[in-house]
Amino acid sequence: FFPIHGSIDEGDEIRFGDFRWIVFYTPGHGAGMICLYEPDRKWLISADALWESDVGVMTPRVEGMDVAWRALDSVAKLAGLQVELVLPGHGKPFTDFQGAIRRVAERLRGFRDDPPKMGRDQIKKILVYAVMMKDGLPEKGLLDYLMSVPWYPDTVDLFFDSTYEATLNEVLSELSERGILYVEHGQYRTTVEP
C-alpha cells in the first residue's frame, strides 16, 4: 500500500542531526507500529501506542483478536524507559509518562478482559474520526452510511450480535452525553480536535 525504500528493526538507531532515536517495535494499534526514543533527551515519540489517557483504536478483525494482549506487551516494554517528554500521535505532548502507562495499561486490560468494550471503543473512535475527516456526517441516514462501510457491520457482527441500530443509538447517546458529538444543521459534529 505504500512503497518501501528500506526497513528498520527493534533496537536500530536513527540519527537526525544531534538527535538519535532508538526504535521500539510496539504492535497493538497497528501490527507494524513503532515508537522512537531519544535517550539523551529522554523523549518518546509514542505514536498511537501511548496517549496521555488512551491508545489508538484496536481493530481486532484487522490486527487479530489478541490485539489487546500485544498492545499491553508494547506498553510494558515502554514502561522501563526513562521518559521526561512524550510526543503522542494524537493530543498534546505530556510529561506524566508513568501515569499514562498506568492509565493505558488499565484500559487495555479492560479490553482484554471484556472484548465488547474494545468493540464499543472501536466504533466510537472511528465514528468520531469519520466526523472529523468528513467535516460532519448527516444526522439522517447515518446508519445507512455506516452500513455501507465494512468496518461498522463487521464490528457490530463480531461484538454485538448484529444489533446495528441499537448499537449506533447507544454509541451516539454516550458520545452526545459526554459532549464529544453534537448535531448542528442536521450534521453530526465533534468537539475533538485532530
Side-chain angles (χ1 to χ4, degrees), residues 57-62 65 115-124 126 146-147 149-164 167 171:
V57 66
M58 303 282 124
T59 53
R61 282 284 206 222
V62 175
M65 287 303 290
K117 188 181 224 178
M118 178 172 48
R120 188 170 311 284
D121 183 74
Q122 178 184 358
I123 292 169
K124 289 187 289 190
I126 294 178
L146 290 175
M147 293 303 293
V149 293
W151 70 266
Y152 183 76
D154 190 54
T155 304
V156 176
D157 289 345
L158 180 63
F159 293 109
F160 305 108
D161 298 322
S162 304
T163 56
Y164 309 112
T167 299
V171 167

mmCIF file of all heavy atoms in Angstrom, residues 57-62 65 115-124 126 146-147 149-164 167 171:
data_model
loop_
_atom_site.group_PDB
_atom_site.id
_atom_site.type_symbol
_atom_site.label_atom_id
_atom_site.label_comp_id
_atom_site.label_asym_id
_atom_site.label_seq_id
_atom_site.Cartn_x
_atom_site.Cartn_y
_atom_site.Cartn_z
ATOM 1 N N VAL A 57 -7.108 3.263 18.239
ATOM 2 C CA VAL A 57 -8.185 2.280 18.123
ATOM 3 C C VAL A 57 -7.626 0.872 17.900
ATOM 4 O O VAL A 57 -6.660 0.689 17.170
ATOM 5 C CB VAL A 57 -9.173 2.695 16.996
ATOM 6 C CG1 VAL A 57 -8.507 2.652 15.637
ATOM 7 C CG2 VAL A 57 -10.402 1.827 17.011
ATOM 8 N N MET A 58 -8.231 -0.091 18.567
ATOM 9 C CA MET A 58 -7.891 -1.501 18.385
ATOM 10 C C MET A 58 -8.869 -2.076 17.356
ATOM 11 O O MET A 58 -10.084 -1.950 17.526
ATOM 12 C CB MET A 58 -8.048 -2.284 19.690
ATOM 13 C CG MET A 58 -7.237 -1.765 20.859
ATOM 14 S SD MET A 58 -5.504 -2.239 20.756
ATOM 15 C CE MET A 58 -4.775 -0.619 20.855
ATOM 16 N N THR A 59 -8.346 -2.688 16.297
ATOM 17 C CA THR A 59 -9.189 -3.265 15.252
ATOM 18 C C THR A 59 -8.914 -4.771 15.161
ATOM 19 O O THR A 59 -8.075 -5.204 14.374
ATOM 20 C CB THR A 59 -8.927 -2.578 13.898
ATOM 21 O OG1 THR A 59 -7.526 -2.610 13.629
ATOM 22 C CG2 THR A 59 -9.401 -1.135 13.911
ATOM 23 N N PRO A 60 -9.611 -5.566 15.967
ATOM 24 C CA PRO A 60 -9.316 -6.996 16.032
ATOM 25 C C PRO A 60 -9.507 -7.752 14.721
ATOM 26 O O PRO A 60 -8.792 -8.717 14.474
ATOM 27 C CB PRO A 60 -10.245 -7.515 17.118
ATOM 28 C CG PRO A 60 -11.251 -6.470 17.347
ATOM 29 C CD PRO A 60 -10.653 -5.173 16.906
ATOM 30 N N ARG A 61 -10.437 -7.328 13.868
ATOM 31 C CA ARG A 61 -10.609 -8.024 12.584
ATOM 32 C C ARG A 61 -9.399 -7.812 11.682
ATOM 33 O O ARG A 61 -9.085 -8.654 10.854
ATOM 34 C CB ARG A 61 -11.861 -7.547 11.871
ATOM 35 C CG ARG A 61 -13.122 -8.118 12.414
ATOM 36 C CD ARG A 61 -13.298 -9.558 11.950
ATOM 37 N NE ARG A 61 -14.701 -9.876 11.938
ATOM 38 C CZ ARG A 61 -15.196 -11.018 12.365
ATOM 39 N NH1 ARG A 61 -14.411 -11.952 12.825
ATOM 40 N NH2 ARG A 61 -16.490 -11.216 12.305
ATOM 41 N N VAL A 62 -8.728 -6.694 11.852
ATOM 42 C CA VAL A 62 -7.539 -6.400 11.048
ATOM 43 C C VAL A 62 -6.288 -6.933 11.737
ATOM 44 O O VAL A 62 -5.449 -7.591 11.125
ATOM 45 C CB VAL A 62 -7.403 -4.876 10.808
ATOM 46 C CG1 VAL A 62 -6.105 -4.551 10.086
ATOM 47 C CG2 VAL A 62 -8.607 -4.350 10.038
ATOM 48 N N MET A 65 -7.561 -11.040 17.142
ATOM 49 C CA MET A 65 -8.284 -10.945 18.408
ATOM 50 C C MET A 65 -7.348 -10.789 19.612
ATOM 51 O O MET A 65 -7.789 -10.440 20.696
ATOM 52 C CB MET A 65 -9.192 -12.166 18.603
ATOM 53 C CG MET A 65 -10.420 -12.147 17.692
ATOM 54 S SD MET A 65 -11.462 -10.681 17.877
ATOM 55 C CE MET A 65 -12.158 -10.966 19.491
ATOM 56 N N PRO A 115 -13.916 -8.095 25.723
ATOM 57 C CA PRO A 115 -13.752 -7.713 24.315
ATOM 58 C C PRO A 115 -14.841 -6.790 23.762
ATOM 59 O O PRO A 115 -14.517 -5.908 22.960
ATOM 60 C CB PRO A 115 -13.708 -9.060 23.585
ATOM 61 C CG PRO A 115 -13.122 -9.992 24.605
ATOM 62 C CD PRO A 115 -13.719 -9.544 25.922
ATOM 63 N N PRO A 116 -16.141 -6.909 24.152
ATOM 64 C CA PRO A 116 -17.101 -5.936 23.634
ATOM 65 C C PRO A 116 -16.762 -4.482 24.013
ATOM 66 O O PRO A 116 -17.105 -3.553 23.278
ATOM 67 C CB PRO A 116 -18.430 -6.383 24.259
ATOM 68 C CG PRO A 116 -18.264 -7.866 24.413
ATOM 69 C CD PRO A 116 -16.821 -8.019 24.839
ATOM 70 N N LYS A 117 -16.066 -4.296 25.118
ATOM 71 C CA LYS A 117 -15.617 -2.946 25.488
ATOM 72 C C LYS A 117 -14.672 -2.408 24.408
ATOM 73 O O LYS A 117 -14.729 -1.237 24.050
ATOM 74 C CB LYS A 117 -14.906 -3.032 26.842
ATOM 75 C CG LYS A 117 -14.550 -1.730 27.462
ATOM 76 C CD LYS A 117 -13.833 -1.980 28.783
ATOM 77 C CE LYS A 117 -14.345 -1.079 29.849
ATOM 78 N NZ LYS A 117 -13.706 -1.327 31.140
ATOM 79 N N MET A 118 -13.817 -3.287 23.882
ATOM 80 C CA MET A 118 -12.908 -2.900 22.804
ATOM 81 C C MET A 118 -13.709 -2.594 21.539
ATOM 82 O O MET A 118 -13.411 -1.637 20.822
ATOM 83 C CB MET A 118 -11.900 -4.020 22.538
ATOM 84 C CG MET A 118 -10.944 -3.759 21.409
ATOM 85 S SD MET A 118 -9.608 -4.979 21.261
ATOM 86 C CE MET A 118 -10.461 -6.546 21.360
ATOM 87 N N GLY A 119 -14.747 -3.391 21.255
ATOM 88 C CA GLY A 119 -15.583 -3.149 20.089
ATOM 89 C C GLY A 119 -16.304 -1.820 20.164
ATOM 90 O O GLY A 119 -16.360 -1.068 19.186
ATOM 91 N N ARG A 120 -16.843 -1.494 21.335
ATOM 92 C CA ARG A 120 -17.538 -0.215 21.512
ATOM 93 C C ARG A 120 -16.539 0.940 21.345
ATOM 94 O O ARG A 120 -16.853 1.956 20.722
ATOM 95 C CB ARG A 120 -18.206 -0.157 22.882
ATOM 96 C CG ARG A 120 -19.097 1.056 23.067
ATOM 97 C CD ARG A 120 -19.935 0.989 24.319
ATOM 98 N NE ARG A 120 -20.657 -0.245 24.515
ATOM 99 C CZ ARG A 120 -21.771 -0.612 23.872
ATOM 100 N NH1 ARG A 120 -22.293 0.203 22.987
ATOM 101 N NH2 ARG A 120 -22.359 -1.755 24.113
ATOM 102 N N ASP A 121 -15.344 0.790 21.892
ATOM 103 C CA ASP A 121 -14.315 1.815 21.750
ATOM 104 C C ASP A 121 -13.954 2.010 20.279
ATOM 105 O O ASP A 121 -13.793 3.143 19.818
ATOM 106 C CB ASP A 121 -13.073 1.411 22.561
ATOM 107 C CG ASP A 121 -11.999 2.470 22.520
ATOM 108 O OD1 ASP A 121 -12.164 3.507 23.189
ATOM 109 O OD2 ASP A 121 -10.985 2.258 21.814
ATOM 110 N N GLN A 122 -13.854 0.914 19.544
ATOM 111 C CA GLN A 122 -13.543 0.995 18.119
ATOM 112 C C GLN A 122 -14.620 1.787 17.384
ATOM 113 O O GLN A 122 -14.308 2.680 16.591
ATOM 114 C CB GLN A 122 -13.429 -0.409 17.529
ATOM 115 C CG GLN A 122 -13.164 -0.411 16.040
ATOM 116 C CD GLN A 122 -13.149 -1.810 15.447
ATOM 117 O OE1 GLN A 122 -13.292 -2.806 16.139
ATOM 118 N NE2 GLN A 122 -12.988 -1.879 14.142
ATOM 119 N N ILE A 123 -15.872 1.481 17.645
ATOM 120 C CA ILE A 123 -16.964 2.183 16.970
ATOM 121 C C ILE A 123 -16.929 3.671 17.313
ATOM 122 O O ILE A 123 -17.040 4.529 16.429
ATOM 123 C CB ILE A 123 -18.325 1.556 17.334
ATOM 124 C CG1 ILE A 123 -18.424 0.156 16.734
ATOM 125 C CG2 ILE A 123 -19.477 2.442 16.849
ATOM 126 C CD1 ILE A 123 -19.598 -0.656 17.239
ATOM 127 N N LYS A 124 -16.750 3.998 18.590
ATOM 128 C CA LYS A 124 -16.739 5.405 18.996
ATOM 129 C C LYS A 124 -15.595 6.167 18.319
ATOM 130 O O LYS A 124 -15.800 7.249 17.765
ATOM 131 C CB LYS A 124 -16.629 5.522 20.524
ATOM 132 C CG LYS A 124 -17.886 5.108 21.254
ATOM 133 C CD LYS A 124 -17.825 5.375 22.729
ATOM 134 C CE LYS A 124 -16.883 4.446 23.423
ATOM 135 N NZ LYS A 124 -16.969 4.522 24.903
ATOM 136 N N ILE A 126 -13.711 5.416 15.597
ATOM 137 C CA ILE A 126 -13.766 5.532 14.138
ATOM 138 C C ILE A 126 -14.898 6.466 13.723
ATOM 139 O O ILE A 126 -14.754 7.245 12.783
ATOM 140 C CB ILE A 126 -13.865 4.147 13.469
ATOM 141 C CG1 ILE A 126 -12.569 3.353 13.726
ATOM 142 C CG2 ILE A 126 -14.087 4.305 11.965
ATOM 143 C CD1 ILE A 126 -12.561 1.954 13.163
ATOM 144 N N LEU A 146 -23.128 4.104 7.635
ATOM 145 C CA LEU A 146 -22.250 3.190 8.367
ATOM 146 C C LEU A 146 -22.372 1.755 7.858
ATOM 147 O O LEU A 146 -21.390 1.011 7.856
ATOM 148 C CB LEU A 146 -22.539 3.255 9.865
ATOM 149 C CG LEU A 146 -22.126 4.555 10.544
ATOM 150 C CD1 LEU A 146 -22.581 4.562 11.994
ATOM 151 C CD2 LEU A 146 -20.627 4.781 10.443
ATOM 152 N N MET A 147 -23.565 1.371 7.435
ATOM 153 C CA MET A 147 -23.737 0.022 6.905
ATOM 154 C C MET A 147 -23.051 -0.139 5.546
ATOM 155 O O MET A 147 -22.795 -1.259 5.109
ATOM 156 C CB MET A 147 -25.226 -0.326 6.802
ATOM 157 C CG MET A 147 -25.914 -0.455 8.146
ATOM 158 S SD MET A 147 -25.164 -1.687 9.246
ATOM 159 C CE MET A 147 -25.547 -3.192 8.355
ATOM 160 N N VAL A 149 -20.009 1.025 4.885
ATOM 161 C CA VAL A 149 -18.560 0.918 5.076
ATOM 162 C C VAL A 149 -18.277 -0.373 5.844
ATOM 163 O O VAL A 149 -18.977 -0.689 6.796
ATOM 164 C CB VAL A 149 -17.984 2.159 5.805
ATOM 165 C CG1 VAL A 149 -18.097 3.387 4.916
ATOM 166 C CG2 VAL A 149 -18.664 2.406 7.130
ATOM 167 N N PRO A 150 -17.305 -1.157 5.436
ATOM 168 C CA PRO A 150 -17.140 -2.501 6.001
ATOM 169 C C PRO A 150 -16.899 -2.567 7.508
ATOM 170 O O PRO A 150 -17.353 -3.499 8.169
ATOM 171 C CB PRO A 150 -15.927 -3.060 5.252
ATOM 172 C CG PRO A 150 -15.782 -2.218 4.039
ATOM 173 C CD PRO A 150 -16.366 -0.880 4.352
ATOM 174 N N TRP A 151 -16.209 -1.609 8.076
ATOM 175 C CA TRP A 151 -15.810 -1.740 9.474
ATOM 176 C C TRP A 151 -16.993 -1.754 10.426
ATOM 177 O O TRP A 151 -16.952 -2.442 11.453
ATOM 178 C CB TRP A 151 -14.804 -0.649 9.875
ATOM 179 C CG TRP A 151 -15.392 0.724 9.946
ATOM 180 C CD1 TRP A 151 -15.404 1.658 8.954
ATOM 181 C CD2 TRP A 151 -16.079 1.319 11.055
ATOM 182 N NE1 TRP A 151 -16.048 2.790 9.377
ATOM 183 C CE2 TRP A 151 -16.478 2.618 10.667
ATOM 184 C CE3 TRP A 151 -16.397 0.892 12.340
ATOM 185 C CZ2 TRP A 151 -17.161 3.481 11.507
ATOM 186 C CZ3 TRP A 151 -17.085 1.751 13.185
ATOM 187 C CH2 TRP A 151 -17.462 3.024 12.764
ATOM 188 N N TYR A 152 -18.060 -0.993 10.141
ATOM 189 C CA TYR A 152 -19.159 -0.911 11.100
ATOM 190 C C TYR A 152 -19.942 -2.220 11.210
ATOM 191 O O TYR A 152 -20.043 -2.783 12.306
ATOM 192 C CB TYR A 152 -20.090 0.273 10.802
ATOM 193 C CG TYR A 152 -21.182 0.384 11.848
ATOM 194 C CD1 TYR A 152 -20.898 0.892 13.111
ATOM 195 C CD2 TYR A 152 -22.467 -0.076 11.609
ATOM 196 C CE1 TYR A 152 -21.872 0.950 14.099
ATOM 197 C CE2 TYR A 152 -23.449 -0.016 12.584
ATOM 198 C CZ TYR A 152 -23.147 0.491 13.828
ATOM 199 O OH TYR A 152 -24.093 0.545 14.815
ATOM 200 N N PRO A 153 -20.510 -2.748 10.117
ATOM 201 C CA PRO A 153 -21.241 -4.007 10.289
ATOM 202 C C PRO A 153 -20.344 -5.131 10.783
ATOM 203 O O PRO A 153 -20.773 -5.979 11.577
ATOM 204 C CB PRO A 153 -21.822 -4.298 8.902
ATOM 205 C CG PRO A 153 -21.168 -3.365 7.954
ATOM 206 C CD PRO A 153 -20.596 -2.241 8.748
ATOM 207 N N ASP A 154 -19.096 -5.133 10.353
ATOM 208 C CA ASP A 154 -18.173 -6.182 10.787
ATOM 209 C C ASP A 154 -17.955 -6.132 12.303
ATOM 210 O O ASP A 154 -17.985 -7.156 12.984
ATOM 211 C CB ASP A 154 -16.839 -6.017 10.048
ATOM 212 C CG ASP A 154 -15.924 -7.189 10.270
ATOM 213 O OD1 ASP A 154 -16.353 -8.324 10.011
ATOM 214 O OD2 ASP A 154 -14.782 -6.956 10.711
ATOM 215 N N THR A 155 -17.762 -4.942 12.844
ATOM 216 C CA THR A 155 -17.535 -4.788 14.284
ATOM 217 C C THR A 155 -18.789 -5.138 15.077
ATOM 218 O O THR A 155 -18.720 -5.826 16.097
ATOM 219 C CB THR A 155 -17.077 -3.351 14.607
ATOM 220 O OG1 THR A 155 -15.914 -3.064 13.842
ATOM 221 C CG2 THR A 155 -16.763 -3.191 16.084
ATOM 222 N N VAL A 156 -19.952 -4.690 14.591
ATOM 223 C CA VAL A 156 -21.201 -4.998 15.295
ATOM 224 C C VAL A 156 -21.502 -6.494 15.222
ATOM 225 O O VAL A 156 -21.952 -7.093 16.208
ATOM 226 C CB VAL A 156 -22.364 -4.146 14.742
ATOM 227 C CG1 VAL A 156 -23.685 -4.525 15.401
ATOM 228 C CG2 VAL A 156 -22.085 -2.657 14.955
ATOM 229 N N ASP A 157 -21.225 -7.113 14.086
ATOM 230 C CA ASP A 157 -21.418 -8.565 13.977
ATOM 231 C C ASP A 157 -20.527 -9.307 14.968
ATOM 232 O O ASP A 157 -20.970 -10.252 15.633
ATOM 233 C CB ASP A 157 -21.093 -9.053 12.559
ATOM 234 C CG ASP A 157 -22.104 -8.625 11.517
ATOM 235 O OD1 ASP A 157 -23.209 -8.185 11.893
ATOM 236 O OD2 ASP A 157 -21.772 -8.717 10.315
ATOM 237 N N LEU A 158 -19.286 -8.877 15.074
ATOM 238 C CA LEU A 158 -18.314 -9.557 15.927
ATOM 239 C C LEU A 158 -18.637 -9.407 17.413
ATOM 240 O O LEU A 158 -18.563 -10.371 18.168
ATOM 241 C CB LEU A 158 -16.904 -9.011 15.644
ATOM 242 C CG LEU A 158 -15.755 -9.606 16.456
ATOM 243 C CD1 LEU A 158 -15.609 -11.100 16.162
ATOM 244 C CD2 LEU A 158 -14.454 -8.876 16.125
ATOM 245 N N PHE A 159 -19.028 -8.215 17.837
ATOM 246 C CA PHE A 159 -19.166 -7.951 19.265
ATOM 247 C C PHE A 159 -20.610 -7.795 19.770
ATOM 248 O O PHE A 159 -20.857 -7.949 20.959
ATOM 249 C CB PHE A 159 -18.403 -6.677 19.647
ATOM 250 C CG PHE A 159 -16.919 -6.812 19.523
ATOM 251 C CD1 PHE A 159 -16.232 -6.153 18.520
ATOM 252 C CD2 PHE A 159 -16.199 -7.603 20.411
ATOM 253 C CE1 PHE A 159 -14.858 -6.268 18.417
ATOM 254 C CE2 PHE A 159 -14.826 -7.730 20.304
ATOM 255 C CZ PHE A 159 -14.152 -7.065 19.306
ATOM 256 N N PHE A 160 -21.544 -7.446 18.884
ATOM 257 C CA PHE A 160 -22.878 -7.061 19.361
ATOM 258 C C PHE A 160 -24.026 -7.760 18.629
ATOM 259 O O PHE A 160 -25.106 -7.200 18.464
ATOM 260 C CB PHE A 160 -23.037 -5.529 19.289
ATOM 261 C CG PHE A 160 -21.952 -4.797 20.031
ATOM 262 C CD1 PHE A 160 -20.980 -4.109 19.334
ATOM 263 C CD2 PHE A 160 -21.879 -4.846 21.410
ATOM 264 C CE1 PHE A 160 -19.956 -3.457 19.999
ATOM 265 C CE2 PHE A 160 -20.859 -4.201 22.087
ATOM 266 C CZ PHE A 160 -19.895 -3.505 21.378
ATOM 267 N N ASP A 161 -23.796 -8.972 18.176
ATOM 268 C CA ASP A 161 -24.853 -9.815 17.604
ATOM 269 C C ASP A 161 -25.687 -9.114 16.545
ATOM 270 O O ASP A 161 -26.919 -9.234 16.527
ATOM 271 C CB ASP A 161 -25.772 -10.361 18.701
ATOM 272 C CG ASP A 161 -25.023 -11.258 19.683
ATOM 273 O OD1 ASP A 161 -24.137 -12.008 19.240
ATOM 274 O OD2 ASP A 161 -25.333 -11.180 20.879
ATOM 275 N N SER A 162 -25.046 -8.340 15.677
ATOM 276 C CA SER A 162 -25.707 -7.700 14.532
ATOM 277 C C SER A 162 -26.811 -6.717 14.917
ATOM 278 O O SER A 162 -27.728 -6.465 14.138
ATOM 279 C CB SER A 162 -26.270 -8.772 13.578
ATOM 280 O OG SER A 162 -25.239 -9.655 13.181
ATOM 281 N N THR A 163 -26.721 -6.128 16.089
ATOM 282 C CA THR A 163 -27.711 -5.129 16.533
ATOM 283 C C THR A 163 -27.251 -3.740 16.076
ATOM 284 O O THR A 163 -26.889 -2.884 16.877
ATOM 285 C CB THR A 163 -27.885 -5.165 18.060
ATOM 286 O OG1 THR A 163 -26.589 -4.969 18.662
ATOM 287 C CG2 THR A 163 -28.479 -6.482 18.522
ATOM 288 N N TYR A 164 -27.301 -3.513 14.768
ATOM 289 C CA TYR A 164 -26.708 -2.326 14.155
ATOM 290 C C TYR A 164 -27.316 -1.022 14.668
ATOM 291 O O TYR A 164 -26.592 -0.117 15.072
ATOM 292 C CB TYR A 164 -26.843 -2.389 12.633
ATOM 293 C CG TYR A 164 -26.354 -3.675 12.049
ATOM 294 C CD1 TYR A 164 -27.238 -4.575 11.467
ATOM 295 C CD2 TYR A 164 -25.004 -4.018 12.101
ATOM 296 C CE1 TYR A 164 -26.787 -5.775 10.936
ATOM 297 C CE2 TYR A 164 -24.542 -5.218 11.586
ATOM 298 C CZ TYR A 164 -25.447 -6.091 11.009
ATOM 299 O OH TYR A 164 -25.004 -7.279 10.505
ATOM 300 N N THR A 167 -26.913 -0.554 18.607
ATOM 301 C CA THR A 167 -25.521 -0.248 18.947
ATOM 302 C C THR A 167 -25.196 1.195 18.587
ATOM 303 O O THR A 167 -24.592 1.926 19.382
ATOM 304 C CB THR A 167 -24.562 -1.220 18.239
ATOM 305 O OG1 THR A 167 -24.857 -2.553 18.677
ATOM 306 C CG2 THR A 167 -23.112 -0.897 18.551
ATOM 307 N N VAL A 171 -24.076 4.240 21.179
ATOM 308 C CA VAL A 171 -22.816 4.968 20.986
ATOM 309 C C VAL A 171 -23.084 6.467 20.804
ATOM 310 O O VAL A 171 -22.420 7.301 21.418
ATOM 311 C CB VAL A 171 -22.028 4.387 19.789
ATOM 312 C CG1 VAL A 171 -20.901 5.309 19.363
ATOM 313 C CG2 VAL A 171 -21.487 3.003 20.140
#
